[in-house]
Structure formats: C-alpha cells, structure tokens
Amino acid sequence: MQKAKYDFVFVGTSFASSFFLKKALEILGPSSKILVLERGKRFPHADRLRSKIDNTPLGNMGALDTYHSSSEKIWVFDPSFGGSSNCWTGCTPRFMPSDFKLKSTYGVGSDFPISYNDLLPFYEEAEEIMQIAGPEETPWPMDHSYRQPPQILSTVDILLNKKYGNQYISQPTARATESVGKRGKCCTSAVCNVCPVNSKYTIENSLSWLFEDPRVTLKYESQAIYINKQGNMANEIVYLHNGTEETVGCDNIVLGANAVFNPHILLNSGDSNTLTGAGISEQVGRFVRVYYNGLKNVGGSSIITANGFMMYDGDHRKSRAGCLIESFNTPFIRNEPGKWRDMSIFKFIYEDLPQNSNRVIKGQDNVTPEIVYSGHSTYTQSGLDHLEEDFLRYFSFLPIEHYEIDPNNQQTEFHICGTTRMGTSRDNSVVDAGLVHHDIRNVVVAGSSVFPAISPANPTLTLSALSLMAAKKYLT
C-alpha cells in the first residue's frame, strides 16, 4: 500500500509548533497537506478543571514517565495537546538585547546568531496573538504598547517601582486583565496551572482552530520516533501510534516537541553532530521571604505581580549569572497577630550557561530518551552565592524586620532549553539562524531547545517569536 505523503509534518502542538503552524497557514496555498503528530491526548479545559477540583488524574502520561535519568533533577512539561501551554503560569517578559549577545557583551557563553532587533517585529506579533498585558515602561525597547493593561502592583511592588522605575515593573503576562475571546479576566486565584476562568493563554483556548483547518490532519497518541532521509533531505517520518510504528512521506518537517524530544528524534535519525542533545539546562530559582516592620503588603492582581531587573544586566554578568526577580502574590499570611500581611515572597531566578556534559542521549529504546545531568554551571552558582549581598543592596531601603533565604534551589523552573542550539555553523550549533538543521535542510527545529544561552527571563514569548520568524523566513 502506498504511504501517505504530506507537504509538512509537524511534531507537537505546544507554542513552538503552533506558532509556526499559524504563520505557515497564512502563507501556504489552499491545496497544502499538513500532518500534526501529537504524542498525547486532548483534555479540554473543563476536564482539566474537574480533575483539579476532584484531585483525580486526567489519565495522561506524566512528564517524568517519558524519560529516564539517574539525576535527582526533574524536567517538567505536559505531554498532551497544547503541551506546556496547559501548565505554564503565563509569564511573558522579553529577553533583553544583551541576552542575544552574551558572548560579545560580557565575554561568556554564546551569542544568538540573531539580534534583539531582528526578533522585535515577531515579539510584537506574538504579543498581539497572546494579548499580553503589560506596563508602559519596560527595560527593553518597544515599538508598540502592550495589548492589555498591566496587572496591578501590590503596595510593596509600588515602593520598588517608585525607587527603580523601569527596572521594576508589572510583569508582562498572558494572564488576561480584560476578557478576550474565550478567556476571562484573571481572577487572582493563584492556581494558574489550571486557570479557573480560562484567563491564561493556552493553545486550546486560543489556537485550537488551527487544527480544524481543512489542510491540517491532527493525529493524537502519535509519538515521532525518527526521520528517514535521502541525502541531506528528510523524506519520511516514523512515529508510534497505538504501539505500532507507522511511516508517512513528507517534503518538510517541523520538530516542535521540546528540548528533550527534539534532540532525541534527531539522534534516532542518525544525527552525528556532537552538539545534538548537548547542553540541556534551565534557570535556577530560589525564594526569599521578607518580613516587614509595619509595612502591609496588600493589593496586586495576579499570582506574580512584578518583575525586577536590578540584578539582571550589567558588568556582573562577566563573572556571574544575571537574575530576574519575581514578586509572588499567592495567598499567604504571616502567622503573627497584627502582622498578617507584613511580608513579601520573592523568587530570584538565575540564568545558566549550557554545559555540554549535561545532555540528552539515546536510551535503551528509540522511544524513551536518557538525560545525563550533573548540575548547573559555576557561573550560575556564583550568582547564587551573591544572592544575599545583592538582595540587601536593592531591598534594604524597605523596613525589613528579618528575611529568610531558602537554603535549597527549586527543583525546576519548568523551562527546558539548549539541546539543539542555533548558531552560525555546524561547529557551534545544530541549527542555523532560521532554525533549519545544518545537515537536513528541510527540517526546522523550533522551541527553547535552540537557545544557545539560557536567559534569566521566561522563554515562552521568545520561542514563540522565533517560530513566527522562522516560518516567515522558511516559507517566503
């Protein structure tokens, strides 16, 4: 029987694939045939909400069941339709211009093969698609205002904003401040992994129409395994469906799984680049609880009200990691009469430099990758070692009674990056500036796996903008 053949095969339905697909559907003609392979099932928002309320499992495979690792480090994502758009918190700061030129600016890490200005129009397009809420003043250049009004700052945030200006701002976020489409206004319940009012932007509540396009065939429970090639071009993709390997022909492939499975598919396909799978990493976060003398921390309109950039950029990045600050507004009280809200909770999130020894490798079968991870870089650790000193430098003007720095880092920041890095050549990367694989020239690799440097900022907005940019470049 003759195999089916498609113009494009997309792997995954999270931000990377879906934003590329959105742009592709705008450009491709009406006769195009597109197959989308989703390894998981689809769980509508109502089902997720019921599962949360009843504290019952959805019945899908968890992220920790999809890979093997002897490390205690965990890598978290959602292996179902919409991917990590289901479990993210909706934090959408842009990268700083210096994040794209870390090596050129500070002499450490690697540069992106593109600049902030190259990505600027696609940042704005991604923010339009997600209807991002944000402030008028930001630490990065903007040509247009955010689409929705900013989240409201707490009383402590207001003091920090007054002192530091655009270095301490209402967090840009995909948690809507005004109802839009199927999304309600943020209810400040702080259960953003399954938003009760569907305020947080997800693929399901905002881009599910892509998969209803007559040019698109979406196949659930279909895990991409490897690519077959003729010369330096892919001509087939093999996937596992209901326990059986199936093969389809294709002219182009977009790998938009994540930084665990993008490299694993390539390794299964015979990719011999020593950088494929290398450098798995994410930011490192640590909480600080601050207790005040007579200062009430009230107000604020969302789970995370503000971002601080005082410790982010500057000459310190020549020797230690930059840091993004998040101001948490989850329901909390201080267990002392009369001081119930005399406190703040901040998270300090440090960038990392990808270490080639931390990597995704082929496992015992072609379905389950192995992750080898020995820890974050000394560059990141140096930043963490300066946490208390830097905290006091920037926060001591507040009436602090005492503070507590968590002794341990968070297990995960939910941001898996760096295993198919973008760069200028095969010697320093896996994909080029357009996210096209150096060796297989009709394969695009999308998502945070292409980041050559791991910024302190949340990656989702940037990887979505990169998908829009790559789609336009590849198809026009």
Side-chain angles (χ1 to χ4, degrees):
M1 185 173 66
Q2 188 175 12
K3 296 185 184 76
K5 185 174 181 182
Y6 293 86
D7 298 303
F8 273 85
V9 174
F10 284 74
V11 176
T13 56
S14 193
F15 290 99
S17 280
S18 295
F19 275 61
F20 194 108
L21 178 60
K22 182 180 185 301
K23 180 64 71 176
L25 290 175
E26 295 170 5
I27 297 170
L28 294 173
S31 62
S32 297
K33 291 180 61 180
I34 299 168
L35 175 65
V36 180
L37 300 175
E38 168 52 57
R39 68 171 294 155
K41 301 177 182 179
R42 182 169 183 169
F43 299 98
H45 177 259
D47 292 353
R48 292 179 181 275
L49 198 58
R50 176 54 56 191
S51 173
K52 182 80 172 179
I53 293 169
D54 295 344
N55 195 28
T56 55
L58 276 170
N60 61 323
M61 178 182 287
L64 303 186
D65 300 317
T66 65
Y67 66 86
H68 292 150
S69 180
S70 59
S71 170
E72 294 182 359
K73 170 71 177 171
I74 61 173
W75 307 91
V76 179
F77 50 92
D78 187 323
S80 64
F81 176 80
S84 292
S85 75
N86 297 306
C87 62
W88 77 317
T89 306
C91 308
T92 55
R94 297 184 184 186
F95 283 10
M96 299 284 275
S98 58
D99 290 328
F100 294 89
K101 301 297 177 185
L102 192 63
K103 180 72 171 178
S104 300
T105 307
Y106 298 117
V108 297
S110 300
D111 289 347
F112 281 69
I114 61 170
S115 69
Y116 177 89
N117 285 338
D118 292 331
L119 202 58
L120 180 58
F122 303 101
Y123 267 140
E124 291 169 352
E125 186 175 356
E127 288 163 349
E128 173 68 31
I129 293 168
M130 295 191 209
Q131 288 291 292
I132 299 302
E136 287 297 320
E137 294 188 6
T138 63
W140 47 76
M142 292 186 68
D143 287 344
H144 300 282
S145 298
Y146 284 108
R147 277 42 179 188
Q148 293 208 355
Q151 296 286 354
I152 298 170
L153 297 174
S154 73
T155 50
V156 170
D157 292 328
I158 291 170
L159 294 174
L160 286 159
N161 172 255
K162 183 176 180 180
K163 185 169 182 65
Y164 296 113
N166 72 355
Q167 295 297 297
Y168 194 95
I169 61 173
S170 174
Q171 182 186 71
T173 175
R175 304 182 297 274
T177 55
E178 298 175 341
S179 297
V180 56
K182 298 178 181 179
R183 299 162 59 196
K185 178 181 177 180
C186 178
C187 63
T188 323
S189 63
V191 285
C192 298
N193 59 336
V194 184
C195 177
V197 297
N198 218 3
S199 170
K200 177 187 70 175
Y201 183 94
T202 67
I203 300 303
E204 193 215 359
N205 68 23
S206 297
L207 284 184
S208 58
W209 57 269
L210 294 174
F211 305 94
E212 298 165 4
D213 188 289
R215 294 169 287 180
V216 176
T217 299
L218 172 58
K219 196 163 186 178
Y220 293 107
E221 298 182 89
S222 299
Q223 181 183 350
I225 304 298
Y226 60 90
I227 295 164
N228 288 327
K229 305 182 292 292
Q230 283 187 337
N232 67 343
M233 303 293 281
N235 66 335
E236 293 177 334
I237 189 164
V238 180
Y239 61 96
L240 194 66
H241 178 67
N242 292 332
T244 302
E245 284 193 3
E246 299 185 10
T247 304
V248 294
C250 54
D251 292 330
N252 304 275
I253 295 173
V254 178
L255 296 181
N258 61 27
V260 175
F261 287 94
N262 281 347
H264 192 242
I265 293 166
L266 293 171
L267 291 169
N268 284 340
S269 308
D271 190 328
S272 61
N273 189 327
T274 58
L275 292 175
T276 300
I280 188 168
S281 54
E282 65 173 352
Q283 304 98 333
V284 179
R286 192 175 291 186
F287 278 104
V288 176
R289 289 163 179 81
V290 186
Y291 302 89
Y292 302 114
N293 184 9
L295 174 60
K296 306 294 182 189
N297 186 23
V298 295
S301 62
S302 197
I303 182 173
I304 300 170
T305 47
N307 280 146
F309 296 86
M310 301 88 76
M311 297 161 55
Y312 193 116
D313 222 359
D315 282 347
H316 65 276
R317 289 179 87 181
K318 293 178 179 178
S319 58
R320 67 180 192 268
C323 174
L324 175 72
I325 303 166
E326 290 183 337
S327 176
F328 273 70
N329 194 41
T330 49
F332 57 81
I333 60 170
R334 181 174 171 179
N335 193 21
E336 297 176 57
K339 298 183 178 181
W340 307 121
R341 290 294 297 189
D342 293 16
M343 68 174 294
S344 291
I345 299 175
F346 298 101
K347 187 195 273 190
F348 292 77
I349 303 167
Y350 291 85
E351 66 187 317
D352 198 6
L353 300 179
Q355 309 295 296
N356 287 346
S357 57
N358 295 330
R359 59 193 307 130
V360 176
I361 61 175
K362 292 176 66 174
Q364 294 182 352
D365 56 48
N366 59 11
V367 176
T368 310
E370 184 85 19
I371 299 178
V372 178
Y373 186 80
S374 60
H376 55 256
S377 65
T378 56
Y379 180 75
T380 300
Q381 188 57 47
S382 182
L384 288 161
D385 290 343
H386 284 79
L387 170 55
E388 184 169 21
E389 173 189 337
D390 290 336
F391 164 74
L392 291 173
R393 177 181 297 119
Y394 293 108
F395 288 81
S396 61
F397 77 96
L398 297 169
I400 296 174
E401 187 178 287
H402 65 281
Y403 58 89
E404 298 170 352
I405 299 176
D406 276 4
N408 299 313
N409 303 325
Q410 292 298 290
Q411 279 191 301
T412 181
E413 288 302 315
F414 303 87
H415 304 149
I416 315 171
C417 302
T419 52
T420 61
R421 283 171 269 178
M422 63 190 302
T424 55
S425 73
R426 194 181 191 278
D427 294 334
N428 60 27
S429 57
V430 178
V431 300
D432 65 19
L435 310 190
V436 178
H437 194 278
H438 285 305
D439 296 339
I440 318 172
R441 298 304 293 168
N442 60 341
V443 171
V444 177
V445 185
S448 56
S449 67
V450 306
F451 291 179
I454 315 306
S455 160
N458 311 67
T460 302
L461 181 72
T462 297
L463 72 87
S464 300
L466 281 170
S467 280
L468 294 171
M469 181 199 74
K472 182 176 181 180
K473 185 172 183 178
Y474 191 75
L475 294 168
T476 58

